[in-house]
Amino acid sequence: MTITQPDLSIFETLESEVRSYCRNWPTIFDRSRGSYLYDEDGHTYLDFFMGAGSLNYGHNNPVLKRALIDYLERDGITHGLDMSTTAKRAFLETFRDVVLVPRDMDHKVMFPGPTGANAVEAALKLARKVKGRESIVSFTNGFHGMSLGALAVTGNAFKRAGAGIPLVHGTPMPFDDYLDGQTPDFIWFERLLQDAGSGLNQPAAVIVETVQGEGGVNVARPEWLRGLADLCKRHDMLLIVDDIQMGCGRTGAFFSFEDSGITPDIITVSKSISGYGLPLSLTLFRPELDVWEPGEHNGTFRGNNPAFVTASATLNTYWADGQMEKQTLSRGEQIETALRALTVEHAHAGASYRGRGLVWGLTFDEADRARRVCQRAFELGMLVETSGPQSEVVKLLPALTATPEELDEGLRVLTRAVRETD
């Protein structure tokens, strides 16, 4: 595909240097539908990025768009802080009936603000309030957001450095297989907890992703997650699962931890919970943890009513009958089959893959190879990003609603991009 260099001068002269994704994809996007984006010059791009996981049901999903337009056309409440509205009521009832009750979960629902980082901040504050302790344990290569509390439990050195102040009250522990299976699970963590001379303050909570997306698509084994849950229970620590990118069906089940059989004390949800890319986040927690005083954690934009509308439509459309989970797992097998063949073909370059459901990572011995693959994929008309501490992983996040033909198209482009960067 030949791409005419667009005039990016307004972005380069007026927008902050902090911009990032637009540097990798130097065009001006104009519209989108389903698995595709279109720039203002009419070029088409297959999207295997999907708003970093915020668009699990594709761009401008027609069912969700219709619900949103109908709501706006009748002058439904747009901004409501945390006031009671018909849109919020419908969402809470739908979330209870479609998500919580079928999973025997009685978690309370908190609307902390519009972003995933808001949900994480609320989770950390609540855990500290409940336990009366400051320390939070996180895991190597974890990512939980860019605000100060979330950064304190994030592993990436580059992102942490942006804080400009010491990031305290967080202690990292090895994620699953971080030590290449050379030590038993949690041997270091538990030893520190048991030893009065270890210097580890008793943690209030542990925060973990079941699949570390930004960290490089590192997948925790179900038995590792069960061991962590047991460790938390034995040592009076709350278990927080950050399901912001991997929840809402990305790994198959609605929550990414379901296959492991654990039930976290606190769960953070955002990105695709609105279904449409509208900002919305939830902090879920067991009822006995609901010790907030009214207004103790608030925010101007925690009542995003248009997002409630599309979220309700999403749950009723895609999660009421159990078919979405089956479809995602089937589509995941399709991707895994292609990645297996691709890594065999490029075994000489140390190619390997890992993932679950519809999140997959492809790596090579040469760290910079992932960046070059993503760049070539863009030139061929496909959006795919890197992840990992050195951007060494090609991360695939197609829409859950992508057709088998669209997945095949993306896998063909990926295969070509890998071959042409060999």
Side-chain angles (χ1 to χ4, degrees), residues 116-126 146-151 292 297:
N118 292 133
V120 170
E121 295 288 352
L124 301 180
K125 285 172 64 174
L126 180 60
M146 299 296 280
S147 50
L148 291 179
L151 276 177
W292 293 113
H297 185 96

Side-chain angles (χ1 to χ4, degrees), residues 274-315:
S274 80
Y276 202 74
L278 299 175
L280 182 65
S281 73
L282 316 176
T283 304
L284 313 175
F285 39 82
R286 292 188 289 108
E288 59 268 30
L289 304 180
D290 194 8
V291 298
W292 293 113
E293 296 291 335
E296 191 173 7
H297 185 96
N298 57 23
T300 304
F301 294 101
R302 64 196 184 279
N304 189 350
N305 283 259
F308 292 151
V309 170
T310 55
S312 297
T314 297
L315 294 176

